[in-house]
Amino acid sequence: MDPESTADPQFIGTLRKWFESEPEISFFYRFRNAAGSKEFEFFTSLDAVVRRLKQLPDGTSVTAFRERQLPFRGVVDDFFITEALRTIPEREDYMLAELPSPSASESDWMRFRAGETHSDLLEDLDDLRGTRVALGLYPPWLEESANVMHGYVPDKDGVVRPGAY
């Protein structure tokens, strides 16, 4: 089976259906031949997603999550840190994303960090005091389900050519 193109009407149609019932869809990008470079973003509209997909480099691996990812959100302070350590189990992979400010442009991307220990999490959160963040278990990007969809940004000629990620 050929890899799915993010330009395929079926891929976009699935996203459209998801937005009919979900206020937010998360996206995880892995960039082809870019030494493991990754990004993570949240979207609240299909139009914004379609614009973003057109901006991504050829060959980008795109994973879309229907279910809300990184659900623990707020400004990092002592209370947030205490609750985060209660929320994320020790030795479970987590992802922590810096959220753009409310006045940020739609194209602002989120820096993220990941780890698996409470000491990693505490260090990450200490570095981000006063910053708006989203936190949760590392998204199940390898999962195949009705709530996780994978595709690739096609090359300029319309052909999907996955590479090293």
Side-chain angles (χ1 to χ4, degrees):
M1 186 165 127
D2 291 332
E4 186 163 12
S5 168
T6 57
D8 187 306
Q10 185 173 350
F11 188 89
I12 300 301
T14 298
L15 293 175
R16 179 176 287 108
K17 287 178 187 169
W18 287 3
F19 274 116
E20 289 172 2
S21 61
E22 303 299 329
E24 176 184 276
I25 296 175
S26 307
F27 287 80
F28 182 61
Y29 312 120
R30 295 178 306 132
F31 299 99
R32 179 174 67 189
N33 304 326
S37 182
K38 302 172 184 73
E39 287 182 17
F40 193 80
E41 293 180 310
F42 303 117
F43 288 92
T44 57
S45 79
L46 180 61
D47 290 341
V49 170
V50 170
R51 280 192 300 276
R52 180 64 171 132
L53 291 175
K54 290 177 182 175
Q55 296 169 348
L56 291 170
D58 294 355
T60 300
S61 168
V62 176
T63 303
F65 302 94
R66 181 179 190 172
E67 295 176 335
R68 190 170 194 214
Q69 301 298 307
L70 312 185
F72 188 52
R73 300 182 187 185
V75 175
V76 179
D77 59 13
D78 289 339
F79 177 76
F80 188 94
I81 291 170
T82 299
E83 292 304 307
L85 292 171
R86 276 188 225 169
T87 302
I88 303 297
E90 177 71 17
R91 297 280 175 208
E92 288 283 335
D93 290 337
Y94 69 84
M95 181 184 284
L96 174 66
E98 296 177 55
L99 295 173
S101 69
S103 61
S105 74
E106 181 182 281
S107 62
D108 283 352
W109 60 277
M110 300 182 306
R111 290 182 293 270
F112 72 90
R113 303 166 185 215
E116 69 175 32
T117 67
H118 278 181
S119 63
D120 291 341
L121 180 57
L122 185 56
E123 184 178 325
D124 286 341
L125 290 170
D126 266 341
D127 288 346
L128 295 171
R129 282 185 181 273
T131 304
R132 288 180 59 240
V133 299
L135 172 67
L137 295 178
Y138 205 92
W141 65 278
L142 292 174
E143 181 177 299
E144 294 285 341
S145 75
N147 295 314
V148 180
M149 181 171 58
H150 305 280
Y152 294 87
V153 175
D155 288 353
K156 299 291 182 246
D157 61 3
V159 175
V160 170
R161 293 183 181 90
Y165 296 96

